[in-house]
């Protein structure tokens, strides 16, 4: 793939202003080189149509521009003449070349669907490290793109740009990106940086070839000599050599078994003709299509299905899913074969390899604009899509993820006013975003739910509690506490103290106290939640067992190891029995019990459980999930305990990359793992890196939680060690760190807590090394008085 390029931005924080950057955006983190793949966008399955033909001249000339690293914009006066499929053909060529030999002109390639503005399109399409705010995410996407293009070895396609350069500042920024960029647009001119490349209509022979491939279903059959004149008249005068229209007419002729002469007669009788200005721009494609494809000629069932497809994204949907989602509203069964019938009539596209259907955006725009779909005609579609968002008993979250974009488009394009399912489907979208660790998107969807009127207080309380949980996992503890208290108030008033939903609220509030290091308060709430759930659901119910697992963790934090072990083992056995060994919830129990074994220094048991948990999490949740990252962390600890520091460092760094990407660097889980990695740097003698990470963690901790968070105890303790190693026995700085850790430990954990005793002993050892003849107790007493 060419010579290596040094990532000058890797693991860097950016401060100060520079041209093209929002001056308020700081602390942007980028991927490391090893995290990037050849395709740097989410769209990898980009293919031209199976009957792609002609365009050899265009492909050759564009290929030359691309190889020279130039910027081009493919323009035409109308959609549907082949700009997109030319780009897809080129994308496919470069992708195949890379797959064959791994070499080529480009190090990275991307394909982005333009969706209203370049900022949003880039964030939706590009893979980049997620940050802690929308502003930072926008900037991080641009920084990632700028880095990818910095050596001129990025090829980027941006399809269907419908704004001018002046109307979209993001397009202005795009023109400063080095390397090969290809846009498609109906805009004739952007700027000097983008060279226009006008896409003309296919010539007559190419149009005839497309017509024959579709009309005769790839059988290589040709039209008869007596039909040539009529076909050329249709292509030239009625269809205007417009590629997609030629395709549609071929579908129509095949469906109706029309000869070319019959097709011509029907078109002229309907008055079908694509009209153009003299400069070649289309006047109104919708009006012409409505003459050709009159919805009134279709059955109500067919119209209902086409309406549904018109609100979908232009993404193939499996035939089985189409049947499940669409047939009930249409009032037909699979035996009616209505979808294949609509494909044969030219309304739908069908991919024979994937057995999936889609509707071309030109059709979708016509139908959606004319019919204005409402929820009453598509109630079962909404219901089935919502059902597809529900995480199955297996816990396979990733199976549901592919339907999020369909659900979002349904909510956007169907008139949902007064729909009883509107809040429900948005809430399910939010829940799925939460489960795949897209917390910022989950937050936006839950906040949107709060704008709808609720049928009862229970629904309202559930939304408040769900949003509070999203706030908690993002480290927004103040907002989370406020909403949890509102949710608990609603549930106690509406459902009573001894209801399962109230118990779940206590559990979630306890998790918040855990995050804040308030373990005694968390213990009290977990135990209250457990008592209610045992009474209402029994001790074998998954909700009860979840609280058991949380109780085990807080017992461990409080040094109550026997109680922690008993509760961990109990929750694990129940989950294995009820859910099975390979369920992600069972993996959580493996993980929790492993933490206890690590604390008790039973490392073989811990490693076995962590490896089980990691295998399940990678399978069910994916590599880039916080729970997967936590499994890496504790496996790293196991390697660390065995003295395998290189392997431990590798796993710590991997977990840091995941947590920074998903949670941001200001999240508590990320901060705690900075300290794990810093400790490993210390053991490897990389004291400068260790000190830098510890100092960074302390700064963020203090800005978020003040100076007395219990997690800072370990940081101060370890920083003391680094000072001793790095500063040639700098006892004053080391003692100062030890004393701060001791003060916080007494305040938050109590004088008799095992961690407090460990900090005390560490401080005593540092003092003795500094002043062997001194009186440590007297020194400590004087320090405490200060």
């Amino acid at each position: 793939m060419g010579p290596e390029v040094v990532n000058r931005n890797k693991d860097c924080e950016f401060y100060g202003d520079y041209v093209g950057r929002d001056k308020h955006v700081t602390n942007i983190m980028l991927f490391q080189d090893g995290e990037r793949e050849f395709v740097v966008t989410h769209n990898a399955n980009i293919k031209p149509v199976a009957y792609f033909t002609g365009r050899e001249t265009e492909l050759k000339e564009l290929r030359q521009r691309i190889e020279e690293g130039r910027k081009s914009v493919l323009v035409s006066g109308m959609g549907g003449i082949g700009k997109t499929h030319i780009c897809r053909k080129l994308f496919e060529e470069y992708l195949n070349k890379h797959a064959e030999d791994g070499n080529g002109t480009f190090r990275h390639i991307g394909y982005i669907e333009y969706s209203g503005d370049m900022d949003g399109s880039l964030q939706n399409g590009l893979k980049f490290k997620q940050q802690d705010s929308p502003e930072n995410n926008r900037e991080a996407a641009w920084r990632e793109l700028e880095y990818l293009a910095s050596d001129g070895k990025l090829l980027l396609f941006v399809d269907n740009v419908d704004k001018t350069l002046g109307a979209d500042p993001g397009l202005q920024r795009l023109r400063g990106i080095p390397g090969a960029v290809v846009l498609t647009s109906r805009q004739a001119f952007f700027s000097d940086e983008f060279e226009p490349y006008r896409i003309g209509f296919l010539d007559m022979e190419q149009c005839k070839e497309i017509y024959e491939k579709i009309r005769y279903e790839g059988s290589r059959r040709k039209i008869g000599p007596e039909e040539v004149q009529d076909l050329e008249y249709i292509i030239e005068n009625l269809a205007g050599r417009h590629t997609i229209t030629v395709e549609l007419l071929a579908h129509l002729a095949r469906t109706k078994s029309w000869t070319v002469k019959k097709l011509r007669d029907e078109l002229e009788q309907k008055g079908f003709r694509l009209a153009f200005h003299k400069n070649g721009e289309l006047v109104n494609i919708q009006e012409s299509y409505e003459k050709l494809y009159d919805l009134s000629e279709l059955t109500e069932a067919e119209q209902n299905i086409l309406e549904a497809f018109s609100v979908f994204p232009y993404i193939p949907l499996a035939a089985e899913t189409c049947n499940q989602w669409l047939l009930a509203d249409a009032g037909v069964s699979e035996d009616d074969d209505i979808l294949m019938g609509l494909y044969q009539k030219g309304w739908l596209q069908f991919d024979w390899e994937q057995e999936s259907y889609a509707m071309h955006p030109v059709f979708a725009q016509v139908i959606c604009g004319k019919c204005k779909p409402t929820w009453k005609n598509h109630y079962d579609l909404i219901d089935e899509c919502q059902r597809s968002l529900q995480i199955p008993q297996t816990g396979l979250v990733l199976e549901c993820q592919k339907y999020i974009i369909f659900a979002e488009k349904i909510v956007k394009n169907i008139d949902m006013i007064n729909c009883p399912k509107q809040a429900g489907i948005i809430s399910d979208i939010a829940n799925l975003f939460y489960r795949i660790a897209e917390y910022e998107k989950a937050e936006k969807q839950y906040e949107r739910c709060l704008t709808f009127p609720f049928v009862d207080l229970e629904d309202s309380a559930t939304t408040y509690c769900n949003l509070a949980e999203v706030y908690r996992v993002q480290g927004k503890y103040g907002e989370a506490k406020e909403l949890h208290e509102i949710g608990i108030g609603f549930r106690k008033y509406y459902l009573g103290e001894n209801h399962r939903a109230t118990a779940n609220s206590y559990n979630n509030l306890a998790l918040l106290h855990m995050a804040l290091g308030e373990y005694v308060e968390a213990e009290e709430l977990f135990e209250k939640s457990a008592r209610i759930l045992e009474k209402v659901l029994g001790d074998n119910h998954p909700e009860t067992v979840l609280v058991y697992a949380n109780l085990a963790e807080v017992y461990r934090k409080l040094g109550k190891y026997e109680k922690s072990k008993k509760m961990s083992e109990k929750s694990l056995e129940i989950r294995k029995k009820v859910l099975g060994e390979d369920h992600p919830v069972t993996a959580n129990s493996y993980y929790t019990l492993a933490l206890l074994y690590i604390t008790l220094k039973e490392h073989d048991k811990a490693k076995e459980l962590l490896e089980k948990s990691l295998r399940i999490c990678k399978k069910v949740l994916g590599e880039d999930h916080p729970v997967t990252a936590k499994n890496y962390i504790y496996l790293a600890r196991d390697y660390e305990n065995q003295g395998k520091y290189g392997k431990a460092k590798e796993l710590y760094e991997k977990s840091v990359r995941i947590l920074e990407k998903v949670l941001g660097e200001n999240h508590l889980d990320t901060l705690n793992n900075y300290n794990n990695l810093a400790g490993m740097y210390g053991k490897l003698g990389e004291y400068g890196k260790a000190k830098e990470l510890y100092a960074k963690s302390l700064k963020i901790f203090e800005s978020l939680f003040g100076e007395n968070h219990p997690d800072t105890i370990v940081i101060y303790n370890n920083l003391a060690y680094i000072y001793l190693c790095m500063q040639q026995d700098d006892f004053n700085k080391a003692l100062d760190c030890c004393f701060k850790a001791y003060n916080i430990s007494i305040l938050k954990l109590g004088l008799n807590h095992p961690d407090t005793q460990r900090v005390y002993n560490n401080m005593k050892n540092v003092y003795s090394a500094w002043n062997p003849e001194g009186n440590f107790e007297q020194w400590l007493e004087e320090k405490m008085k200060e």
Side-chain angles (χ1 to χ4, degrees):
M1 291 177 57
E4 278 299 318
V5 175
V6 177
N7 182 353
R8 290 183 290 274
N9 297 336
K10 182 172 67 177
D11 295 334
C12 292
E13 296 182 5
F14 295 81
Y15 298 97
D17 300 335
Y18 64 87
V19 176
R21 172 188 169 189
D22 184 340
K23 66 180 180 180
H24 301 295
V25 177
T26 59
N27 302 328
I28 300 298
M29 302 295 293
L30 299 183
F31 283 138
Q32 296 190 19
D33 285 330
E35 298 176 274
R36 299 184 177 96
E37 300 172 346
F38 180 63
V39 179
V40 294
T41 53
H42 298 294
N43 285 335
N45 189 27
I46 299 296
K47 295 182 179 180
V49 290
Y51 45 82
F52 184 91
T53 188
R55 304 297 189 187
E56 287 80 6
T57 300
E58 290 91 339
L59 290 172
K60 179 180 179 181
E61 293 177 356
L62 285 168
R63 202 179 292 116
Q64 181 178 343
R65 289 187 177 200
I66 286 171
E67 296 289 332
E68 293 172 355
R70 294 152 64 186
K71 294 184 179 65
S72 301
V73 53
L74 279 61
V75 296
S76 70
M78 61 188 301
I81 71 169
K83 300 184 299 295
T84 292
H85 287 300
I86 289 172
C87 285
R88 291 187 171 198
K89 186 69 173 176
L90 289 167
F91 181 89
E92 184 182 55
E93 284 184 12
Y94 283 101
L95 196 62
N96 290 341
K97 181 172 178 55
H98 177 78
E100 288 170 4
D101 56 20
N103 295 314
T105 307
F106 298 102
R107 186 185 302 274
H108 300 293
I109 187 173
Y111 198 104
I112 291 174
E113 304 281 353
Y114 188 82
S115 55
D117 66 86
M118 195 61 214
D119 284 348
S121 305
L122 193 62
Q123 290 178 76
N124 290 334
L126 189 69
K127 296 175 183 177
F128 66 96
K129 188 181 286 290
Q130 294 290 314
Q131 311 293 307
D132 58 359
S133 71
E135 295 79 9
N136 282 6
N137 272 334
R138 182 179 64 246
E139 189 61 29
W142 279 107
R143 302 265 189 91
E144 178 70 13
L145 184 66
E146 288 164 354
Y147 171 71
L148 290 169
S150 60
D151 63 350
K153 295 185 178 297
L154 169 71
L155 171 56
L156 180 68
F157 295 93
V158 184
D159 192 22
N160 198 28
V161 177
D162 59 2
K163 295 282 181 67
T164 64
L165 196 68
D168 183 358
L171 289 173
Q172 297 181 36
R173 187 167 182 177
L174 184 65
R175 66 182 180 176
I177 298 295
V181 180
V182 180
L183 311 181
T184 72
S185 178
R186 300 184 196 181
Q187 309 293 332
F189 179 75
F190 274 80
S191 68
D192 292 339
E193 287 84 0
F194 287 98
E195 304 173 62
Y197 188 88
R198 181 164 290 278
I199 300 298
F201 296 97
L202 288 170
D203 64 33
M204 178 59 70
E205 291 305 312
Q206 292 166 340
C207 289
K208 286 161 64 176
E209 183 180 347
I210 288 177
Y211 180 90
E212 290 170 335
K213 283 183 177 180
I214 296 174
R215 173 62 179 87
Y216 301 118
E217 299 183 281
S219 65
R220 296 186 180 181
R221 180 180 167 186
K222 303 291 184 181
I223 60 169
E226 71 283 0
E227 296 182 300
V228 171
Q229 185 176 349
D230 282 331
L231 182 57
E232 290 180 348
Y233 178 85
I234 291 171
I235 291 172
E236 185 66 42
N237 296 289
L238 304 185
R241 288 190 284 123
H242 180 234
T243 308
I244 191 172
T245 304
V246 174
E247 297 170 8
L248 297 176
L249 296 180
H251 278 291
L252 182 62
R254 187 187 67 196
T255 302
K256 302 285 190 179
S257 298
W258 284 345
T259 64
V260 176
K261 179 67 167 63
K262 176 65 172 174
L263 175 62
R264 175 176 174 175
D265 291 343
E266 290 289 332
L267 294 177
E268 292 187 319
Q269 183 179 342
K270 291 176 180 290
F272 177 84
R273 182 186 293 268
L274 294 187
F276 296 89
H277 287 307
K278 291 182 179 180
N279 63 4
E281 293 188 4
L282 179 69
V283 175
N284 191 335
I285 194 170
Q286 179 170 333
E287 181 180 341
S288 300
Y289 273 13
E290 288 176 0
K291 291 178 180 178
L292 176 60
Y293 285 89
D294 187 354
L295 287 169
S296 65
E297 294 183 354
L298 300 176
T299 66
E300 289 186 8
E302 289 174 322
Q303 290 183 48
N304 184 280
I305 285 177
L306 292 179
E307 276 190 24
F309 270 102
S310 76
V311 306
F312 289 170
Y314 188 34
I315 296 174
L317 187 64
E320 182 180 356
T321 306
C322 290
N323 290 332
Q324 182 181 344
W325 286 15
L326 305 178
L327 299 188
D329 284 321
V332 296
S333 71
E334 291 186 36
D335 294 337
D336 294 305
D337 236 1
I338 192 170
L339 292 169
M340 183 55 67
L342 288 169
Y343 159 69
Q344 291 171 343
K345 292 178 182 180
W347 288 98
L348 299 179
Q349 297 173 335
F350 183 70
D351 188 312
W352 291 93
E353 291 183 5
Q354 299 183 32
E355 294 189 354
S356 58
Y357 290 94
M359 176 181 281
H360 193 281
V362 170
F363 268 2
Q365 183 179 357
V366 171
I367 295 171
C368 196
K370 182 178 182 180
C371 299
K372 296 179 171 48
T374 65
W375 65 269
K376 292 182 180 179
N377 291 330
H378 302 284
Y379 190 84
D380 284 303
L381 164 62
I382 298 168
D383 188 59
E384 288 297 334
C385 180
Q386 189 175 354
R387 201 184 308 276
S388 298
L389 300 176
Q390 305 295 320
I391 299 165
Q393 289 295 320
T394 59
L396 292 172
V397 180
L398 300 181
E399 287 296 310
C400 308
Q401 185 175 351
K402 61 188 176 185
Y403 297 120
I404 290 178
I405 188 171
F406 286 90
E408 290 181 308
K409 288 289 187 180
I410 287 170
V411 171
K412 178 182 178 182
N413 294 327
I414 291 181
D415 182 355
M416 301 281 281
I417 295 176
N418 298 324
C419 177
K421 286 190 169 292
Q422 184 176 19
I425 191 170
I426 294 173
S427 179
D428 286 335
I429 294 170
N431 180 56
L432 199 48
F433 276 134
Y434 171 79
R435 292 295 298 273
I436 62 175
E438 295 274 2
Y439 299 126
E440 188 177 306
K441 293 179 180 178
E443 176 184 336
K444 290 179 180 177
Q445 297 292 347
Y446 277 133
E447 287 176 342
R448 186 178 177 191
C449 285
L450 291 177
T451 66
F452 299 122
F454 290 98
V455 176
D456 55 43
L457 283 176
E458 184 177 358
D459 289 339
S460 177
T462 298
T463 302
Y464 278 116
C465 292
N466 288 339
L467 181 56
E469 275 300 281
V470 174
Y471 284 147
R472 179 184 68 82
V473 296
Q474 293 183 94
K476 300 178 180 180
Y477 300 124
E479 295 96 322
K481 185 176 182 182
E482 181 181 350
L483 289 188
H484 270 314
E485 289 173 348
I486 292 173
I488 288 176
F490 280 173
R491 283 175 166 171
K492 288 173 69 175
Y493 173 80
Y494 188 70
L495 303 173
E497 173 77 14
N498 294 318
H499 193 278
R500 63 193 290 186
T502 308
N504 288 331
S505 284
Y506 286 135
N507 174 75
N508 292 337
L509 184 57
L511 290 172
L512 177 60
H513 283 295
M514 282 275 285
L516 293 169
E518 298 166 354
Y519 303 130
V520 174
E521 293 89 339
E523 178 187 22
E524 181 182 347
L525 287 167
F526 282 138
E527 288 178 343
K528 182 186 288 189
S529 177
R531 286 194 298 269
I532 297 170
L533 293 174
E534 285 171 343
K535 180 179 179 181
V536 175
L537 302 176
D539 61 2
N540 286 336
H541 193 277
E543 291 179 26
T544 311
V545 179
L546 172 65
V547 181
Y548 288 159
N550 292 335
L551 260 175
E553 180 62 7
V554 80
Y555 287 151
R556 184 180 72 85
K557 290 282 190 181
L558 289 168
K560 301 178 180 181
Y561 300 132
E562 285 303 315
K563 294 182 76 171
S564 177
K565 184 177 181 181
K566 180 179 178 181
M567 197 62 72
S568 293
E569 291 175 342
K570 180 178 182 179
S571 67
L572 175 59
E573 288 307 309
I574 295 172
R575 283 172 168 172
K576 286 166 66 176
K577 180 180 179 181
V578 175
L579 301 173
E581 293 203 11
D582 288 339
H583 196 281
V585 176
T586 308
N588 176 260
S589 283
Y590 287 136
Y591 164 79
T592 303
L593 184 56
L595 301 191
L596 177 63
Y597 283 136
I598 289 174
T599 303
L600 298 174
K601 301 189 183 305
E602 298 182 35
H603 300 299
D604 289 341
K605 291 181 179 179
K607 182 180 179 183
E608 179 183 355
L609 291 174
L610 286 169
E611 287 177 343
K612 282 185 179 180
S613 178
L614 178 61
R615 176 180 56 80
I616 297 168
C617 289
K618 289 173 71 174
K619 174 183 176 182
V620 176
L621 302 175
E623 177 78 15
D624 290 341
H625 195 282
V627 176
T628 306
K630 288 181 180 180
N631 279 273
Y632 281 128
I633 292 169
Y634 287 99
L635 270 177
R637 286 190 184 177
D638 183 70
Y639 282 118
E640 186 177 351
N641 290 325
Q642 298 177 60
K644 299 178 180 178
Y645 297 146
K647 185 66 175 176
K649 174 185 171 182
E650 178 184 337
L651 291 178
Y652 280 138
E653 289 178 336
K654 180 181 289 189
S655 64
V656 163
R657 288 195 297 269
I658 296 171
L659 293 174
E660 285 180 337
K661 175 182 178 181
V662 177
L663 302 178
E665 63 175 15
N666 290 342
H667 193 276
L668 186 59
D669 289 343
T670 312
L671 293 174
N672 286 334
N673 204 32
Y674 283 152
N675 302 325
N676 294 327
L677 181 56
M680 183 50 53
Y681 285 146
K683 288 185 176 181
L684 291 168
E686 301 178 32
Y687 302 125
K689 288 184 177 180
K691 178 185 174 184
E692 182 181 346
L693 267 182
Y694 282 137
K696 179 178 182 178
S697 296
L698 280 173
K699 182 180 178 181
I700 299 174
F701 264 116
E702 290 174 356
S703 69
L704 293 175
F705 312 113
E707 296 184 354
N708 294 321
H709 193 283
D711 284 353
T712 61
I713 296 169
V714 175
I715 304 176
Y716 278 120
N717 226 8
N718 292 337
L719 191 54
Y721 168 77
I722 296 300
Y723 277 127
L724 290 176
C725 296
M726 184 179 181
Q727 305 290 343
Q728 297 181 341
D729 296 338
D730 194 333
F731 292 107
N732 286 326
K733 288 184 178 180
L735 274 173
D736 187 49
C737 287
C738 289
F739 184 72
K740 286 181 179 177
Y742 184 65
N743 255 338
I744 296 170
S745 193
I746 291 175
L747 178 66
K748 303 301 289 188
L749 303 177
L751 186 61
N752 295 321
H753 191 279
D755 286 346
T756 307
Q757 293 302 309
R758 277 192 284 271
V759 173
Y760 173 87
N761 292 333
N762 188 55
M763 179 168 54
K764 184 176 181 179
N765 290 335
V766 174
Y767 178 87
S768 298
W770 171 57
N771 186 3
E773 305 299 325
N775 187 323
F776 171 70
E777 298 296 340
Q778 181 179 346
W779 173 86
L780 180 59
E781 183 178 351
E782 292 174 356
K783 289 287 289 183
M784 295 296 289
K785 289 179 180 178
E786 294 176 5

